[in-house]
Amino acid sequence: MFAVYAESFSTDDPLSGLVVGERPDPEVPDGWTTVTVKAAALNHHDIWSLRGVGLREEALPMILGCDAAGIDEDGNEVVIHAVISDPSWTGDETLDPKRSLLSERHQGTFADKVVVPKGNVVPKPESLSFEEAACLPTAWLTAYRMLFVQGGLKPGDTVLVQGAGGGVATALITLAHAGGLRVYATSRDEQKRKRAAELGADEVFESNARLPQRVDAVMETVGKATWSHSVKSLRPGGKIVISGTTSGADVDSAELTRVFFLQLQVIGSTMGTRTELASLVNLLDVTGARPVIDQVLPMEKARDGFAAMASGDLFGKVVFTR
Ligand SMILES: NC(=O)c1ccc[n+]([C@@H]2O[C@H](COP(=O)([O-])OP(=O)(O)OC[C@H]3O[C@@H](n4cnc5c(N)ncnc54)[C@H](OP(=O)(O)O)[C@@H]3O)[C@@H](O)[C@H]2O)c1
């Protein structure tokens, strides 16, 4: 079958190990199902895989891609949940120490077909296109869990989203607005601040600027460059929910005095459960909120999409169609 896969790793030139070609049809283990891929979305995770981060040499060649929407064996339109937990695991899949993401241990979604455990498909409503649905399983699910599960935010609360141009950050702004929150967003770039306001941010600020009021929660994916500002922006008892550290993880000051004196909470967040993916799909269905898509390409042109992401010049997702 047609597939986009990693054949080798390179730290300096990740695209050198990318192949757009053919791979054998997948074998289907007991309890798993085949989904015919209609659209698949690209993540930074796929570039990291080509650099050899999170993927072992023995696993090569590996079909890339965590995110997809398609048609299951019974003809239903579905979205794929990318977190694969151990068959013996029950409860929150993200807490399974043996969990992996599609394309780490099991072949990924950039292909004609992908094979997943039967429990890893979620119905796709007609209101969402395959391209829109394909954007949800990684960055959007991460944003959903940060806001509404780990952050426990409810309508009327005020949230600060750091680094407004990022893939997770744009999802955070859109979902927070759809969920009835007051949204502040920061970005270093004026154009990105403008786009953030169009997405639903109530007020936008330069990175590290003073805010009009302290917030109930901060959504962090930037790390070192914004950490101190995040801590200082919280009301007493407020929460920082962190799912990434794009600018570095070694902060100059953890601001520990503020953390205990103001009784702040620092909460980690990674991906989300199948049930949370279903709730995210429902939220988009009901509210009309939609993922921001920078470009849609036929999967044969996947290399162009990888190059665009590697250059960093994107606002929203890159989607491949079959
Ligand atoms: N835990 C999970 O499940 C999960 C899932 C998905 C992603 N992640 C992680 O989350 C992080 C963000 O991912 P992403 O795909 O959203 O990344 P991204 O699209 O590259 O965006 C990161 C944003 O960080 C801001 N930024 C970067 N360097 C900065 C600096 N020096 N100073 C201030 N701001 C800076 C930028 O915002 P501005 O240019 O607007 O200032 C940029 O748009 C990554 O570390 C990724 O690995 C985690």
Side-chain angles (χ1 to χ4, degrees), residues 44 142 163-168 187-188 192 222 225 243-246 269-271:
H44 272 283
T142 300
V168 178
S187 174
R188 298 163 298 173
K192 290 185 188 173
V222 181
S243 73
T245 53
T246 302
S269 198
T270 286
M271 296 294 290

Side-chain angles (χ1 to χ4, degrees), residues 51-64:
R51 291 196 162 105
V53 178
L55 187 57
R56 289 165 304 111
E57 188 100 42
E58 312 84 83
L60 296 178
M62 175 62 80
I63 299 173
L64 297 172

Side-chain angles (χ1 to χ4, degrees), residues 19 24 44 59 97 103 115 150 184 203 227 230-231 245 322:
V19 182
H44 272 283
S103 81
V115 170
Q150 306 296 69
Y184 295 158
E203 290 188 63
W227 182 258
S230 292
V231 177
T245 53
R322 281 306 285 156

Side-chain angles (χ1 to χ4, degrees), residues 233-253:
S233 299
L234 283 174
R235 65 157 171 80
K239 298 173 183 171
I240 297 181
V241 183
I242 176 163
S243 73
T245 53
T246 302
S247 65
D250 51 341
V251 292
D252 299 322
S253 166

Side-chain angles (χ1 to χ4, degrees), residues 43-45 48 99 101 138-143 146 162-170 186-189 192-193 207-208 220-226 242-248 268-272 309 312 314-317:
N43 290 290
H44 272 283
H45 185 275
W48 285 116
R99 73 168 195 273
L101 280 191
T138 301
W140 280 69
L141 180 58
T142 300
M146 288 175 76
Q162 300 281 25
V168 178
T170 49
T186 66
S187 174
R188 298 163 298 173
D189 180 83
K192 290 185 188 173
R193 290 197 291 274
S207 296
N208 298 315
E220 255 296 352
T221 57
V222 181
K224 182 182 168 90
T226 51
I242 176 163
S243 73
T245 53
T246 302
S247 65
S269 198
T270 286
M271 296 294 290
M309 177 159 278
L314 292 172
F315 195 95
K317 303 291 289 178

